[in-house]
Every structure is written in structure tokens, then in C-alpha cells.
Amino acid sequence: MRITHLPRAVFALLGGLFITFSQSHAAVVGLGVFAVFTLLSSLGSIVLERNQKPKRLLPLAVVSIIASVMSLVAIVQSLGNESDSSRLVFLMLVSGWALVTSAIELYLASREGFSERTGRDFLISAIFSLALGGLFLLASPDVVSAVGFFGAYLILLGVHWGIASAGDGKK
């Protein structure tokens, strides 16, 4: 079992389920779920990788913590006024994070080797992140659709990393 990916799986599924069953798909809800997901999954990954020599998930965790802090600042600044600027902040923050994350995951996939299970897992995750970032940048959906797409991304990512965590780590 590759437990280091378990925090990403658990918090992605929880965030996706929260968005799915939330009555509001406002930008502040999306930013809140994004902040909690990125912060908790990265802290969980850091804790689980603390005794391992190659800290593969550290760059992802650092980028996610920075994005989480930026998201929390955006939430505090947008309290009381739900405007179009909140939607743009959500779109730009999530798409920027997704594109940077996909680049890091693509690097990790090539480093692990595309023929190895871990490499393929990082490649699949990079494709999901690239699709989310590209969708947000190119299509610029309305806020309800954007938060819904982010929830769908979290569900897909959670299922993927859950299956990867349950794997035995061999070819």
C-alpha cells in the first residue's frame, strides 16, 4: 500500500462530496473547498513523507500551501460581497494551481518512468490537473459551472489516488 497518496485521495473525495451536496455553488464556496483541500492534503502528505528519503510530494505540497494561503486571503477579502471578481479570482487561482501542479506531476511521472505504476499514476493526475486548468483558462465558465467542474475534478482525483494508494506499489 502506498499510503503517501492517501491524504490527497481522502481530502479530494471529501471536497468533491461537499461541493456535490452543497446548495450554493458560489465562488466563496469553491475557494473555501479549494483552500481546505490544498492545505490538508499537502500537510498530510508532508507528515506521511517525513521519514522517507526522496520527498517526492514536497514540491506539490509547497505549491498547494501557497495556493491555500492565497485562497484564504481571497475569501477574507470577498466576505460580504459576492461579485464577478470573486469568480475571476477562483478561476485564476485554481487554474494557476492546476497548471503548476500538472507540470510538477508530469515531471514526477517522467522521473519515475512511464512504465512504472507510480509514473503512470502521476501522469494520470497531471492529465486531470491540466484538463481542469485548461478548461478554466480557455472556456471561462460561469461560477456555478466552475465550482461544479472543480468538484468533479476532486471526485476523479480522489478516486484515482484512492485506487493508487490501495495498490501494492509493484509493476
Side-chain angles (χ1 to χ4, degrees):
M1 181 175 225
R2 296 175 294 166
I3 198 164
T4 55
H5 300 295
L6 195 59
R8 291 179 78 190
V10 168
F11 293 119
L13 283 173
L14 290 175
L17 287 172
F18 181 83
I19 288 174
T20 299
F21 294 110
S22 175
Q23 290 183 355
S24 173
H25 277 58
V28 71
V29 171
L31 283 169
V33 171
F34 177 72
V36 170
F37 161 68
T38 53
L39 183 65
L40 293 180
S41 64
S42 58
L43 290 178
S45 296
I46 289 171
V47 167
L48 289 176
E49 266 196 343
R50 72 182 179 278
N51 293 330
Q52 294 182 357
K53 241 343 175 195
K55 297 189 181 334
R56 293 180 303 191
L57 299 180
L58 186 62
L60 289 172
V62 169
V63 167
S64 292
I65 288 173
I66 292 169
S68 178
V69 169
M70 291 173 68
S71 180
L72 291 171
V73 168
I75 290 170
V76 169
Q77 288 183 344
S78 70
L79 287 178
N81 61 348
E82 181 65 32
S83 64
D84 196 45
S85 64
S86 296
R87 178 186 75 89
L88 289 175
V89 168
F90 174 70
L91 288 173
M92 296 309 291
L93 188 59
V94 174
S95 63
W97 169 83
L99 293 174
V100 171
T101 299
S102 68
I104 294 170
E105 288 174 332
L106 189 59
Y107 168 75
L108 290 171
S110 67
R111 187 172 161 196
E112 293 292 324
F114 296 115
S115 61
E116 298 293 323
R117 179 177 284 176
T118 304
R120 290 189 304 263
D121 289 339
F122 279 122
L123 179 62
I124 291 169
S125 185
I127 291 169
F128 287 159
S129 298
L130 185 62
L132 179 71
L135 174 70
F136 278 16
L137 282 179
L138 299 176
S140 187
D142 63 291
V143 69
V144 174
S145 298
V147 174
F149 288 138
F150 178 61
Y153 163 80
L154 288 176
I155 292 291
L156 289 171
L157 192 70
V159 168
H160 166 66
W161 282 117
I163 292 169
S165 295
D168 60 1
K170 298 177 184 169
K171 258 188 172 180

